Amino acid sequence: MDFEPYVHHVVAFVREHAAWAPPIIFALAFGESLAFVSLLFPAWTALIAMGALVRSGGLDFWPVWVAGGPRAPPGGRGWYWGGRKRPPDG
C-alpha cells in the first residue's frame, strides 16, 4: 500500500496551518511507537518531512520538539505494560 499521497497531504496541511503541527506531530510520534499502528501507517516519512520544515524555517523548533520528542516513549511503555499484564497461558 502506497502512503506517499497521504504523507504529502499531511505535510501540506502542516505547512499551511503551522498551529496544527504540534498535535499532528504528537499523534504521528505516538502512533509510530505503537507496533501494529506503525505497520499500518508508517509515520516516519511524515515526521522526517516535518523535520525538514523545521530546518527550512517553516515551523518553530520548540513546539515540534515538545510535541514529538518525549511523546513517543509513552507508546512503547504502553506496549510493555500490556505485555506484562497479559493473563498467563493455560
Side-chain angles (χ1 to χ4, degrees), residues 21-35 37-38 41-44 46-47 50 64-76:
I24 290 172
I25 289 172
F26 170 82
L28 291 173
F30 184 76
E32 186 65 25
S33 69
L34 300 174
V37 174
S38 66
F41 182 73
W44 65 271
L47 291 170
M50 289 183 209
V64 169
W65 185 84
V66 168
R71 302 301 185 224

Side-chain angles (χ1 to χ4, degrees), residues 54 59-67:
V54 170
L59 294 175
D60 292 330
F61 171 76
W62 288 110
V64 169
W65 185 84
V66 168

